[in-house]
Amino acid sequence: SQHLKICRIPVPEIVFISWRRQNCFIRAEMGTQFIPGGVDTSDYLFKEPVPEEDKAQECLKKIADLMGKLFQAGIYHPDLNFT
């Protein structure tokens, strides 16, 4: 979280991290600060009413810009596809 802030990547504060064993697995959980007015991206783009095309393109451009910043900061996650 601190590295992301140094790289000027907006992130919510981490409130807690916990883990526990469940049989042969480890279950990990992390809670972050609530962001008032925040909207889930998939809800915004795909649920009714669907945003106008220019609004959707603006949203996708912001996502692409943020992914570029993550890549430049050396942040990689298997759920993010940069290619």
Side-chain angles (χ1 to χ4, degrees):
S1 177
Q2 197 63 24
H3 175 66
L4 294 172
K5 287 182 182 179
I6 290 169
C7 294
R8 297 181 162 269
I9 297 171
V11 293
E13 293 291 326
I14 296 172
V15 178
F16 72 88
I17 297 174
S18 68
W19 66 274
R20 65 181 178 275
R21 291 188 186 275
Q22 283 187 322
N23 301 319
C24 62
F25 300 100
I26 294 177
R27 180 182 172 106
E29 298 171 333
M30 178 176 70
T32 60
Q33 171 189 29
F34 177 74
I35 301 174
V39 178
D40 184 272
T41 306
S42 63
D43 286 348
Y44 175 74
L45 291 174
F46 302 114
K47 286 194 176 175
E48 298 294 333
V50 175
E52 295 179 20
E53 185 176 347
D54 60 332
K55 295 273 189 191
Q57 286 180 351
E58 179 183 333
C59 178
L60 293 171
K61 174 153 181 10
K62 288 180 180 180
I63 292 169
D65 291 345
L66 181 57
M67 288 180 69
K69 287 182 182 179
L70 290 168
F71 182 77
Q72 292 294 321
I75 306 298
Y76 302 96
H77 190 283
D79 290 338
L80 296 175
N81 301 303
F82 291 105
T83 57

